[in-house]
Each structure stands twice: as C-alpha cells, then as structure tokens.
Amino acid sequence: MINVSIIGSGNVAAHLVAAFDKSDSVSLKQLFSRSKEVGFAIPENVEQIHDLEELAEADLYIIAVTDSTIETISAALPFKNRLAAHTSGTMPLDAIHENNRKAVFYPLQTFSKSKAVDFREVPVCLESQFAADYQLLERIGRAISDKVYAINSDQRKAIHVAAVFANNFTNHMYQIANEICSENQVPFDILKPLIAETAAKINILSPSDAQTGPAKRHDFKTVEAHLAFLSDEKRSIYKLLTESIQQHGKEL
C-alpha cells in the first residue's frame, strides 16, 4: 500500500481526499489544514493535523495550496529527501524547496467543494526531478485516474493558459449571457441546451469546424445590431471576440 499525505484544505485537496478514499492501492495517511473546519468530509481513517511538525512518514506529500505559498510550505516541511509534489498548473517544478525531491501532481479540472466529479476522468499531469520518483507518481496517479500524462513545466504552463481560455473565460461568457437574460426578463435556462450542444460538439469536431454565428458568417448587419444593443463593457467584449473569430477565419 502506498501512503500519501495531503497538505492543504482547498478545492483540489477536497477532491483528492475523496479520490484517494476510493483507492485500493493508495492509503491517505494525513491531511494538514490550518483550520479544523475544512468544508468537506474527511474519512475516519485519515488523521487531520494542524502542525507541519506532526507530519508522519509517507511515500508522497501532496502540497495542494495556493501558488504563492508553495515555496514557503515546502521549505517548512520537517524532513529532507522525501518526495513532495505541488498541484499548481503554472508554478515550475523548482517551486518545491530543495530539501526534498521535487514533483508535480496537477489534476486538470475545475474543482468546487460542493460539486462532485468523476476523478477517473480527470487528467493528471505528472513531473518529477528523478525518473524513479516518476514511476511512483504514475502508480499513484493511475490509482485515482484513467488519464495520466507526463508533462513538463513549460507544457503545463501552456495547458493552464489554454484551460483559462476553455474554462474560466468561457464561464465568464456564461455570466455575461446570464446578465443579458436577467436584464431582459428571460430565464437563463433557455440557453442551457445550446451550451450543452456546443460543448458536446467538441467531442466530434475541431473547434474551428464547430464555430458558427454571425462573426463566422461575416453577417455584419447582425453584428452591428448586436453592438447597438449592448452596453459599453459588453460591446467591447463582443467586438473583440468578433474580430478574433473573423481573423481566425482568414488564417484558415
């Protein structure tokens, strides 16, 4: 049995706890959190600690904290030459302090404590300082996910930027659409089948082939009507995205 301890109590930590709790080959040994209240269920067999000095020996320590505190936390670990991995999409491998063997265990997904995910479908991106450590990381990754990838720091940064476009910016577009609906007494639910179909298309079409709409058609009359309808901030966003869609069309 492989022993893993998690340092952190945010969204990523919450889902890792749930995923490891289902594993037959990985045992979650400890969870470090600054507060006793973490906002998610901790299995009875997992020891919750609040002092890094209480960390027991484990095969892997996953540091699931904010990017800005990875270096500080990893430097404060009360041991040397053990395997420590952070979960950041942007921080380099070297964010882990040199006292310990460096690794990355990055699950590529949007996580909320209140929304369960099927972790077997979550891509897990791995990187390690030493080849022998990668073999262990891979075993741990495959214990909770069917999608495990060897990704270096530069590739991971590119993936994270791409994910911001695909997820964070897309969700912000949903927020703007919701505001437009609300301002005009239209239920946002009316757009959900459209949103679902747009996402489903990506499983069978490239984003370029799936693109539709007035910008793609160069329907300038409709574009101008939309611009006239929108407020200043939304008009600027609409115009920028329209120009980007049309520019991509020229490049193709």
Side-chain angles (χ1 to χ4, degrees):
M1 186 71 76
I2 302 171
N3 290 316
V4 172
S5 289
I6 295 175
I7 300 166
S9 58
N11 291 336
V12 174
H15 286 273
L16 285 174
V17 167
F20 284 127
D21 188 45
K22 297 176 183 177
S23 173
D24 294 327
S25 58
V26 175
S27 173
L28 184 57
K29 195 175 184 79
Q30 292 177 310
L31 174 72
F32 167 85
S33 64
R34 297 192 182 281
S35 172
K36 292 183 178 181
E37 300 298 326
V38 296
F40 59 90
I42 301 175
E44 291 183 0
N45 61 321
V46 177
E47 180 186 13
Q48 186 180 8
I49 61 173
H50 311 290
D51 185 341
L52 289 176
E53 294 292 334
E54 297 176 14
L55 282 169
E57 186 171 351
D59 298 297
L60 172 65
Y61 301 86
I62 297 179
I63 304 174
V65 298
T66 59
D67 288 2
S68 61
T69 59
I70 291 172
E71 294 186 28
T72 302
I73 292 293
S74 64
L77 296 178
F79 42 69
K80 292 184 178 181
N81 199 34
R82 296 186 190 173
L83 184 58
H86 70 67
T87 61
S88 170
T90 57
M91 296 297 286
L93 182 67
D94 286 341
I96 299 292
H97 193 271
E98 62 184 10
N99 281 346
N100 288 286
R101 307 193 316 273
K102 306 172 184 181
V104 176
F105 194 95
Y106 169 53
L108 176 57
Q109 186 53 276
T110 173
F111 293 114
S112 298
K113 290 181 180 177
S114 59
K115 173 67 169 63
V117 300
D118 180 0
F119 216 99
R120 302 251 35 123
E121 294 296 318
V122 175
V124 177
C125 303
L126 305 177
E127 184 178 5
S128 65
Q129 185 179 9
F130 301 107
D133 286 333
Y134 183 84
Q135 295 176 6
L136 177 62
L137 282 177
E138 187 174 35
R139 287 172 60 195
I140 295 171
R142 294 196 183 283
I144 59 175
S145 172
D146 295 328
K147 304 177 186 296
V148 176
Y149 300 88
I151 300 292
N152 65 39
S153 290
D154 288 339
Q155 291 172 320
R156 183 162 34 83
K157 185 179 293 184
I159 290 170
H160 195 261
V161 171
V164 168
F165 275 92
N167 173 247
N168 303 132
F169 290 169
T170 299
N171 190 73
H172 185 61
M173 294 301 101
Y174 297 158
Q175 181 181 350
I176 291 175
N178 190 23
E179 290 173 359
I180 293 171
C181 286
S182 179
E183 290 165 2
N184 292 275
Q185 292 78 53
V186 177
F188 180 65
D189 283 355
I190 202 170
L191 294 179
K192 289 182 179 178
L194 175 65
I195 292 170
E197 176 62 17
T198 302
K201 276 186 181 181
I202 302 303
N203 291 318
I204 57 173
L205 298 174
S206 70
S208 177
D209 289 339
Q211 187 68 57
T212 61
K216 177 74 171 180
R217 298 192 304 269
H218 292 269
D219 182 353
F220 298 110
K221 185 175 181 180
T222 298
V223 168
E224 289 301 321
H226 288 174
L227 290 172
F229 175 82
L230 294 168
S231 60
D232 290 345
E233 181 186 6
K234 293 183 177 65
R235 186 184 302 120
S236 297
I237 295 171
Y238 185 104
K239 186 175 181 180
L240 180 64
L241 292 174
T242 294
E243 291 172 353
S244 181
I245 291 170
Q246 291 174 342
Q247 184 61 40
H248 275 74
K250 290 179 183 178
E251 292 171 356
L252 294 172

